[in-house]
Amino acid sequence: MSKYQSVRGTRDLLPALKKTFRSIEAKAYNAAQNYGFKEIETPIFEFSDVFHRSLGETSDAVSKETYTFADRGGDSITLRPEGTAGVVRAFVSEGLAQHNPNKLYYYGPMFRYERPQKGRYRQFYQFGVEVLGLENPQADVEVLDLAWRILNEIGLGGKVTLEINTLGDQVDRKAYRDALVQYLTPLKDQLSEDSKVRLEKNPMRILDSKDEGDKKLVAGAPKMDAFLSETSKAFFKAVTDGLSELKIPFQVNPKLVRGLDYYCHTVFEFVTTELGAQGTVLAGGRYDGLVETLGGQKTPGVGWASGVDRLADLCELNQALQVPAKTPIAIISLGDKALVSGLKIASALRAQNKYCEVFMTGNFKKKLEKANKLNTEKAVLLFEQENGEIEYKIKDFKTGEEKPASFEDCLKI
Ligand code: ATP
Ligand code: MG
């Protein structure tokens, strides 16, 4: 075994897995563009404050999971644990508000110091979208429609369920939070250790606890419904009505809360039962207060991020996205001079956007066998003669026929 391994929680995306990632990326980009989204790429690291301010000190992502370090100039830097904070930072610092509404998408690695397990990595990949500057509930419907479209394009439509909830506005949320604390405080001793801490810092997270004991206690807790203003109710109804109209199946899950502090109104997750505990493949919601938190003008926002590692795992499990391999033109040579001439032919064919494989090792028979394994349909055969001349043939692998050819014929194969 090699002395060096990849760092715990990171993994190499070897060609077969990277191919699945790449197909997901390509389908996601294409769909996002059809919905009028434009790509943005922000740096992988930001000043730590960008995340502290936007995600909130009490979120798991900031309180326990960040990779933070002082750089050589003494600035506190954090590797991004998610994409929204950086996009919103760019929106503010680059003055993008003048182009509102902004419909943006991004893809790239994120970093969280979590306990590694299947579907949970320390470097993982997210594809995400953000709409900035639209306050309509119909914007929520459009981003959800895009999510649903992408999941269907990659063959996972039947494998995932959309769960949706509303957190109301900041006033509703505060009232609900207070009621929840009042209900849970007398039960504090029975809560899990994590939830005891949450009760102080981020009580709504308790609704989301995976602990069985917590789940029982939470079942009797007050429901968000009762604390929603008429406006918040109407907003949520417009979102769910829109989803029904577009025939996007969903379930309202009153216990769904998101871990990050910046959400309001709509929150949602696409979940699957096929990936064990790591079942959320796409998650997001509305974040009307975030831009202001990062020093911009008050601007509504809605978006989501999808864990591409989990999508890829789900695709592999279900053999979705099995793109047949392209078959090459094989270049099979005998002699070094013939090999160089083969490279020259391959180079010209590749310049015509054709896929060629030049076999460099093994005897002539071995090369033919390798070509066969790649389901090659056509090959250029090159034989170096004793006088140094090269004899060319074109072989049709289907019929087995070999025809003498000139160098120029080979370029037109
Ligand atoms: P979880 O509840 O699984 O920890 P989260 O709420 O922390 O997820 P978000 O911050 O909403 O996740 O990120 C959006 C998506 O990114 C998740 O739904 C998931 O698919 C993916 N994701 C989050 N953390 C990881 C990770 N460590 N490894 C792989 N994918 C991840
Ligand atoms: Mg998490």
Side-chain angles (χ1 to χ4, degrees):
M1 206 156 61
S2 139
K3 180 175 161 197
Y4 294 111
Q5 306 286 315
S6 65
V7 174
R8 187 165 140 81
T10 67
R11 59 175 180 167
D12 302 305
L13 302 179
L14 298 178
L17 181 57
K18 181 62 202 180
K19 191 173 166 205
T20 305
F21 267 66
R22 184 61 85 192
S23 311
I24 296 171
E25 291 162 43
K27 291 198 187 287
Y29 291 172
N30 185 56
Q33 285 169 13
N34 287 342
Y35 279 68
F37 285 72
K38 302 212 162 59
E39 185 166 12
I40 184 167
E41 182 158 338
T42 62
I44 280 171
F45 51 84
E46 299 271 353
F47 290 121
S48 301
D49 273 356
V50 169
F51 302 110
H52 284 264
R53 287 208 58 89
S54 62
L55 308 184
E57 302 290 341
T58 60
S59 66
D60 284 354
V62 164
S63 61
K64 332 192 258 227
E65 298 172 358
T66 49
Y67 280 88
T68 294
F69 57 94
D71 71 6
R72 288 170 197 277
D75 286 317
S76 178
I77 299 294
T78 295
L79 300 186
R80 62 181 184 197
E82 53 96 62
T84 304
V87 171
V88 170
R89 193 274 308 140
F91 174 84
V92 176
S93 64
E94 303 286 341
L96 298 185
Q98 58 180 317
H99 308 295
N100 269 350
N102 278 271
K103 294 167 71 176
L104 303 167
Y105 71 89
Y106 61 83
Y107 171 76
M110 308 294 160
F111 305 86
R112 296 185 194 177
Y113 194 81
E114 308 201 60
R115 192 166 68 80
Q117 49 200 293
K118 181 93 189 124
R120 193 175 291 288
Y121 307 96
R122 289 181 175 176
Q123 173 171 335
F124 63 100
Y125 294 81
Q126 284 185 342
F127 176 85
V129 305
E130 315 292 354
V131 175
L132 288 149
L134 287 179
E135 60 187 8
N136 329 41
Q138 289 75 21
D140 306 30
V141 177
E142 192 179 35
V143 296
L144 279 163
D145 185 41
L146 171 56
W148 182 235
R149 170 84 48 235
I150 293 172
L151 291 166
N152 278 286
E153 291 289 324
I154 61 179
L156 298 180
K159 302 288 167 190
V160 294
T161 313
L162 168 59
E163 297 190 351
I164 185 166
N165 191 22
T166 177
L167 303 175
D169 61 20
Q170 267 155 7
V171 179
D172 307 343
R173 197 172 152 166
K174 167 104 189 18
Y176 179 58
R177 187 188 148 118
D178 292 348
L180 198 62
V181 172
Q182 217 171 38
Y183 167 83
L184 287 171
T185 304
L187 306 171
K188 185 170 175 184
D189 291 347
Q190 300 169 50
L191 286 170
S192 68
E193 288 310 310
D194 273 349
S195 287
K196 282 185 185 132
V197 180
R198 291 182 187 128
L199 186 59
E200 306 290 327
K201 294 188 164 173
N202 194 350
M204 285 175 64
R205 259 328 287 244
I206 301 175
L207 298 179
D208 203 23
S209 172
K210 307 273 186 297
D211 180 90
E212 288 304 322
D214 288 350
K215 280 188 187 169
K216 284 205 188 94
L217 294 177
V218 158
K223 303 276 180 291
M224 182 75 222
D225 270 28
F227 297 83
L228 293 175
S229 67
E230 289 309 312
T231 327
S232 298
K233 278 187 198 158
F235 191 97
F236 191 52
K237 182 166 186 308
V239 176
T240 52
D241 284 354
L243 293 175
S244 303
E245 189 65 30
L246 271 73
K247 301 213 157 30
I248 301 168
F250 65 91
Q251 277 169 12
V252 176
N253 174 359
K255 289 204 199 103
L256 179 67
V257 290
R258 305 278 311 126
L260 307 181
D261 283 358
Y262 53 58
Y263 288 107
C264 62
H265 290 296
T266 326
V267 288
F268 52 83
E269 291 187 349
F270 281 88
V271 294
T272 175
T273 51
E274 291 188 18
L275 294 176
Q278 274 58 251
T280 306
V281 296
L282 186 152
R286 183 161 273 282
Y287 49 85
D288 291 347
L290 180 58
V291 175
E292 238 179 339
T293 309
L294 284 175
Q297 294 284 324
K298 189 165 172 34
T299 308
V302 59
W304 51 255
S306 178
V308 176
D309 299 78
R310 293 184 193 173
L311 293 179
D313 290 345
L314 201 52
C315 285
E316 307 241 298
L317 268 177
N318 290 288
Q319 307 199 327
L321 281 182
Q322 302 273 325
V323 194
K326 278 201 330 185
T327 58
I329 297 170
I331 310 287
I332 299 173
S333 56
L334 185 67
D336 279 352
K337 213 173 151 201
L339 176 56
V340 176
S341 180
L343 279 174
K344 196 168 163 191
I345 290 168
S347 181
L349 290 171
R350 288 161 175 164
Q352 301 166 33
N353 197 24
K354 288 180 179 153
Y355 165 34
C356 297
E357 285 288 350
V358 180
F359 296 99
M360 301 229 175
T361 58
N363 60 27
F364 199 80
K365 191 166 155 257
K366 272 265 148 35
K367 291 178 181 176
L368 281 171
E369 284 168 14
K370 284 184 196 167
N372 230 336
K373 277 205 186 117
L374 294 177
N375 296 323
T376 299
E377 288 177 9
K378 277 185 184 165
V380 175
L381 312 181
L382 306 96
F383 306 91
E384 195 171 328
Q385 309 293 307
E386 269 178 22
N387 63 6
E389 301 270 301
I390 296 167
E391 192 192 320
Y392 301 93
K393 284 184 180 166
I394 293 174
K395 180 178 170 92
D396 183 325
F397 268 75
K398 274 194 196 142
T399 59
E401 190 187 13
E402 287 177 19
K403 271 195 200 150
S406 67
F407 181 84
E408 283 70 28
D409 292 337
C410 297
L411 303 184
K412 293 186 214 120
I413 188 172

